[in-house]
Amino acid sequence: MATVYVNGTVYTMRHEGDKCTAFVVDDGKFMYCGTDEGARAFGEGCQVVDLKGKTVIPGMIDTHQHLFAYARDLQKLNLKRAGSKKELLEMIRERASHTPAGEWILGTGFDHEKFTDQKELPTREELDLVCPDHPLIITRYCLHVNVANSLALKAGGIGRGFQAKVEGTVEFDENGEPTGTLRDQAAADIIAAIPDPLASLEQKKDAVEKACHELNSHGLTGVHAIQGIHCNLPEYTDVYQSLADDERLTVRVYLGYDELPGCHIRTGLGDEMVKYGFYKLYVDGNMGGRTALLFSPYSDDIDSMGIPNYTQEELDQKVKDAYERNIQVGAHVIGDRAADMLTTAIERAYRENPKPDPRFRMIHMSLLNEDIISRIADLPVVLDIQPMFVSTNVHWSESRVGHDRSRYHYCWRKLLDNNMILTAGSDSPCESYDPMDGIYAITTRCGMDGYPEGGWFPEEKVTVYEALEMYTKNAAYVSFEEDLKGTIEAGKLADFVILNKDLFHTEPEKIKDIQVEKTYLGGRMVYERGNSLR
């Protein structure tokens, strides 16, 4: 039986300003979008829901998330609230006091750049003092920087003279001893030795189901779940498929893997709930850990220009290999030199063999320059950006690259003005996955604390419509699903969200306070504020 929704403020997102008051849902899809009278005309016997003027938007899609890692991290020691090194160490000491000796302790989410005492990573020795009887590894919120104590280093075989697979990923002191700081692959090797609390399929499913319900509570009905093995960020297709089979999956999943499939499949294999998406490459590291690859040295470390994960030739070949197999290519790039390398690889693959609509994904694209911007404007690319990066990094970004280069740090207005398509992701668990936080960040260019007044390089702000477009219509486009979802119109999947306020009539500074009242997936309510649907 169809359900008729009337008396709403429904933003269809087909184009800016497009609204209706009513819609009809039947068999998981929108059958009609228009006036109250038109909706009621679908006949007697239909269930009628009075929206009472509430704001309705399409279900939102996070185009960059490490969903299984987020699910896994729900069980770890959450260090996000550590405001100082002293507080972080005390939190670890407290967890250790209640953990049987010998058991691993894993912590996540801290940001030493926000510490009020010492803006420094803790050392192996400091961790040993508060946690001497447990192997311990803690992960910075960016997921690229980790610190381990002596027992964890020993478990990973890391000591004096250790040769890392990727040069520069293990830090040593002046005596040749590891400091405890590990980056990317080096940390993954240690973590591989840790007993897995989510070893079975059912354990994984339970954890992911819980995480998906958390996403629903923030209006998310879709997520691009991305694997990054070198950062210990696995994803499991069978987990999502099995949840879907059990009718327990409450978000639509588009998967990205940093391995090419061993069988001859291409982008799009799957169904409306779980679909194979793209090949994910990691060209460089991150800005917080100074592993992002730059053309010029870091302003606060003139001996470093970051760490490349590939040579240009290696990257060219990897992009070409996926492209020739009709597999969408997506690549993580943070620094301007990494962005240049990816642009070059795409240019070479595409111009050698032009295809109609490859939609290369350039992920993050944090620090750019005029040359890169002009070159990518001529390529069939979509930019997967992370709005929250500007909000969390605003306090220290200029210390890394200086004021002049910072004009091209998260320069999203420039990209939009060059007619590029942008989508929005969170990079969760690195950042908040609440789209309202992301829309706040990208429209104000301020930290969650409101700093700096007026916004950081305010000329790069985007409008509320442009921001929401990145989470809806554009997010559907990048996965080749623009005919399936992303807007509220007849024939599309009935994924929609009811908000407690109209975000188009809310000051950008207050958008982060908007709450989701209900979330629907295929016409089925999967979240209601104040009511557990699990």
Side-chain angles (χ1 to χ4, degrees):
M1 181 177 68
T3 303
V4 176
Y5 295 82
V6 298
N7 190 27
T9 304
V10 183
Y11 292 97
T12 70
M13 294 305 293
R14 293 187 303 176
H15 54 78
E16 188 166 8
D18 190 55
K19 292 193 296 183
C20 65
T21 61
F23 55 89
V24 178
V25 174
D26 191 20
D27 196 25
K29 294 187 176 182
F30 295 112
M31 305 304 294
Y32 170 85
C33 302
T35 65
D36 288 2
E37 294 76 14
R40 291 182 186 277
F42 266 71
E44 296 182 4
C46 292
Q47 180 184 2
V48 178
V49 177
D50 184 353
L51 293 167
K52 299 180 180 180
K54 292 288 186 181
T55 295
V56 180
I57 61 173
M60 292 177 283
I61 303 164
D62 187 324
T63 59
H64 188 103
Q65 190 169 131
H66 306 290
L67 182 51
F68 183 78
Y70 170 66
R72 182 184 59 195
D73 282 359
L74 291 175
Q75 304 178 59
K76 294 182 180 180
L77 173 60
N78 189 336
L79 299 170
K80 287 185 178 181
R81 64 179 177 83
S84 65
K85 182 188 285 190
K86 179 180 179 181
E87 186 175 2
L88 176 131
L89 293 172
E90 189 54 42
M91 291 170 72
I92 295 170
R93 186 197 303 275
E94 171 66 16
R95 173 60 71 91
S97 70
H98 298 292
T99 303
E103 285 192 10
W104 280 85
I105 296 177
L106 306 177
T108 188
F110 76 94
D111 184 3
H112 65 292
E113 296 287 350
K114 294 181 179 178
F115 287 172
T116 56
D117 48 4
Q118 306 171 52
K119 297 185 186 300
E120 299 173 350
L121 293 168
T123 64
R124 167 176 56 86
E125 290 85 358
E126 288 172 324
L127 296 181
D128 287 346
L129 286 174
V130 296
C131 190
D133 302 320
H134 308 79
L136 165 76
I137 185 164
I138 60 173
T139 305
R140 188 174 181 267
Y141 82 97
C142 65
L143 304 182
H144 290 268
V145 181
N146 308 264
V147 190
N149 70 355
S150 294
L151 288 177
L153 290 170
K154 182 179 179 181
I158 296 176
R160 179 191 289 269
F162 178 80
Q163 296 291 318
K165 293 178 182 177
V166 178
E167 186 178 355
T169 57
V170 177
E171 184 178 286
F172 297 92
D173 63 20
E174 64 276 8
N175 298 315
E177 297 289 345
T179 65
T181 297
L182 310 168
R183 294 178 170 86
D184 296 332
Q185 182 67 53
D189 288 345
I190 283 186
I191 293 170
I194 302 173
D196 185 1
L198 301 178
S200 74
L201 176 63
E202 288 304 318
Q203 288 171 321
K204 290 181 175 69
K205 286 169 60 178
D206 289 344
V208 169
E209 182 183 23
K210 179 181 178 181
C212 288
H213 282 290
E214 293 291 327
L215 302 188
N216 296 149
S217 72
H218 294 285
L220 289 164
T221 58
V223 61
H224 293 195
I226 300 171
Q227 176 176 276
I229 291 299
H230 84 297
C231 293
N232 188 39
L233 302 171
E235 293 291 349
Y236 301 95
T237 304
D238 59 338
V239 169
Y240 299 111
Q241 289 178 322
S242 186
L243 283 171
D245 291 342
D246 297 344
E247 297 185 351
R248 293 165 55 192
L249 185 61
T250 57
V251 296
R252 305 185 193 279
V253 180
Y254 187 77
L255 288 157
Y257 284 99
D258 55 348
E259 305 163 300
L260 281 174
C263 55
H264 295 286
I265 66 171
R266 60 178 183 271
T267 290
L269 180 69
D271 55 29
E272 294 173 353
M273 289 304 300
V274 183
K275 190 172 291 187
Y276 173 72
F278 66 100
Y279 177 43
K280 171 70 183 290
L281 294 161
Y282 292 80
V283 181
D284 64 345
N286 80 324
M287 199 68 73
R290 299 183 185 84
T291 52
L293 187 63
L294 308 182
F295 273 119
S296 302
Y298 282 88
S299 297
D300 55 0
D301 185 357
I302 60 172
D303 294 325
S304 175
M305 290 192 290
I307 301 173
N309 290 326
Y310 312 109
T311 66
Q312 184 68 63
E313 292 72 23
E314 289 170 340
L315 181 61
D316 290 351
Q317 190 62 53
K318 288 180 178 295
V319 169
K320 181 179 179 180
D321 288 345
Y323 178 66
E324 292 298 326
R325 289 178 55 178
N326 293 314
I327 292 174
Q328 187 181 32
V329 177
H332 160 121
V333 288
I334 298 288
D336 52 0
R337 175 63 179 133
D340 179 84
M341 289 178 66
L342 178 59
T343 302
T344 297
I346 292 173
E347 286 172 338
R348 290 172 176 171
Y350 179 66
R351 289 172 182 165
E352 180 181 321
N353 179 21
K355 294 185 180 183
D357 193 15
R359 303 187 196 184
F360 293 98
R361 301 173 67 136
M362 306 183 83
I363 301 169
H364 307 313
M365 297 295 279
S366 298
L367 183 64
L368 304 174
N369 58 42
E370 286 291 348
D371 176 65
I372 295 169
I373 293 172
S374 64
R375 288 163 63 198
I376 61 178
D378 292 330
L379 293 171
V381 301
V382 179
L383 308 184
D384 290 351
I385 68 161
Q386 286 61 53
M388 281 300 293
F389 279 11
V390 70
S391 188
T392 55
N393 296 359
V394 68
H395 291 277
W396 53 264
S397 287
E398 288 194 45
S399 69
R400 291 289 189 273
V401 297
H403 183 78
D404 290 343
R405 280 188 289 178
S406 288
R407 294 185 182 279
Y408 291 90
H409 208 183
Y410 315 125
C411 55
W412 297 317
R413 177 80 268 154
K414 288 185 180 69
L415 299 176
L416 288 171
D417 289 346
N418 276 272
N419 299 314
M420 297 182 199
I421 297 173
L422 276 63
T423 76
S426 64
D427 210 0
S428 172
C430 302
E431 305 282 2
S432 165
Y433 55 77
D434 185 345
M436 295 303 146
D437 287 348
I439 294 172
Y440 159 85
I442 201 170
T443 56
T444 66
R445 293 185 66 87
C446 290
M448 298 304 284
D449 58 0
Y451 173 86
E453 184 177 354
W456 186 60
F457 292 100
E459 66 273 16
E460 295 297 336
K461 292 178 182 179
V462 310
T463 69
V464 173
Y465 175 79
E466 289 168 332
L468 185 58
E469 192 176 37
M470 297 177 197
Y471 284 100
T472 54
K473 181 165 59 177
N474 291 1
Y477 175 85
V478 74
S479 59
F480 302 91
E481 296 175 298
E482 66 270 25
D483 294 331
L484 189 66
K485 57 188 180 182
T487 58
I488 295 176
E489 55 186 311
K492 291 193 176 181
L493 294 168
D495 300 345
F496 61 96
V497 177
I498 301 175
L499 304 175
N500 70 335
K501 292 182 180 179
D502 187 332
L503 76 169
F504 290 104
H505 291 88
T506 299
E507 291 297 318
E509 292 77 13
K510 297 181 179 180
I511 285 177
K512 66 182 186 299
D513 300 321
I514 292 176
Q515 293 183 313
V516 170
E517 293 202 342
K518 296 180 181 180
T519 301
Y520 291 79
L521 183 80
R524 176 172 68 97
M525 187 165 64
V526 292
Y527 169 76
E528 181 178 28
R529 187 153 61 111
N531 178 31
S532 175
L533 300 179
R534 296 187 63 194

